[in-house]
Amino acid sequence: MADDAPRTWTVDDHLRDADPAHVELWHRVVALVEACGPVTVLAHQTTVTFAGERRGFAGARPTRHGVDGFLDMQRPLGPDRRIRRASPYTKRLFVHQFRVTSADDLDDAFEGWVREAYAVGAGAHLR
């Protein structure tokens, strides 16, 4: 008899078989997220999501190109090669799809974007 239970995804599922350099880059992204404060890590089929006390605010996973992910922010970002797409999510939030390909991409600007997204996870968009 087949098991009809839904598949449970783990962080390891996303890291398994990924390029070791991209896994290391993913860990660096996670370190930036976790440096902001407490987060809940949720593995889904398409990505690993990071949630603050109020909601999810970011996600990332290693891919064959580097690390692809998203940041939810209260403003649209200007042009940047790391931002692949930005679109309104709600009246107050914009989701930004990003791709980073090296540790150099994790500069002060990117770190600032992560902090802004973390504030959304804490409910800043509700004030």
Side-chain angles (χ1 to χ4, degrees):
M1 179 182 263
D3 183 2
D4 292 336
R7 166 109 159 66
T8 301
W9 288 85
T10 67
V11 171
D12 287 340
D13 290 327
H14 289 281
L15 304 182
R16 188 178 304 111
D17 301 326
D19 181 318
H22 298 166
V23 171
E24 174 59 30
L25 187 58
W26 182 85
H27 282 294
R28 288 175 180 247
V29 171
V30 172
L32 287 177
V33 170
E34 291 179 338
C36 295
V39 296
T40 300
V41 178
L42 305 163
H44 304 283
Q45 182 176 0
T46 57
T47 196
V48 177
T49 302
F50 304 99
E53 67 182 53
R54 297 295 300 248
R55 67 183 310 277
F57 62 89
R61 67 184 176 94
T63 67
R64 64 186 175 126
H65 303 289
V67 173
D68 288 355
F70 71 90
L71 299 168
D72 289 346
M73 300 174 67
Q74 295 183 80
R75 65 183 176 102
L77 293 174
D80 187 285
R81 67 175 177 71
R82 295 168 288 192
I83 303 301
R84 302 176 68 208
R85 180 175 52 239
S87 49
Y89 184 68
T90 68
K91 288 171 77 173
R92 296 182 180 185
L93 294 177
F94 296 83
V95 62
H96 297 78
Q97 303 292 329
F98 71 82
R99 174 174 290 157
V100 293
T101 58
S102 74
D104 291 340
D105 288 340
L106 306 179
D107 60 8
D108 291 342
F110 191 87
E111 185 177 346
W113 300 339
V114 170
R115 283 194 306 271
E116 284 185 52
Y118 184 83
V120 166
H125 62 296
L126 302 173
R127 296 182 190 110

